[in-house]
Amino acid sequence: MHLVLRALAALAVGLLAAAARADELKIPVGSQAGAHDAALPPHGMLMPRVRAAWGEPALVHDSVGQPPITRWDYPQFSVYFEHDHVVHAVAHHRRADAPVSREQSRDD
């Protein structure tokens, strides 16, 4: 019995030591937001105004849930609607070391 408790204690200490050595990712607060924030549809904007300002979305997802939530995908961001009002707009993250396609380089 004492051998099992010692083994469990040693395992717990080992796991705690491993957790203490975990990598920490630090992102400065000012760099968390992208350059697209000013160009995203604001909260409360209606679907027709979003379409008029940004054009047709590349992809329109079917509404889900109650209240109905709809997502429109544009090349640089996605817009989430509750009924016909914007509830959130999210810029698509692109890794700094990710290869850039010709289409993406024309957008920048």
Side-chain angles (χ1 to χ4, degrees):
M1 183 69 172
H2 290 293
L3 185 59
V4 172
L5 289 176
R6 277 189 180 175
L8 288 175
L11 178 63
V13 168
L15 290 174
L16 287 173
R21 299 188 63 170
D23 291 336
E24 183 177 341
L25 176 63
K26 292 184 178 182
I27 301 173
V29 174
S31 67
Q32 291 177 8
H36 298 287
D37 284 349
L40 296 177
H43 185 272
M45 183 178 263
L46 295 172
M47 282 182 171
R49 295 210 42 212
V50 172
R51 186 174 270 125
W54 284 272
E56 287 297 318
L59 181 62
V60 175
H61 297 268
D62 291 334
S63 299
V64 295
Q66 277 302 329
I69 303 295
T70 307
R71 185 175 99 203
W72 288 3
D73 291 335
Y74 287 88
Q76 300 295 325
F77 60 92
S78 293
V79 185
Y80 295 84
F81 297 92
E82 182 177 310
H83 295 288
D84 61 346
H85 291 80
V86 173
V87 291
H88 202 58
V90 181
H92 297 167
H93 174 70
R94 183 173 38 192
R95 289 178 27 184
D97 61 346
V100 177
S101 70
R102 282 199 263 177
E103 184 174 302
Q104 288 174 331
S105 63
R106 281 186 266 138
D107 292 340
D108 293 340

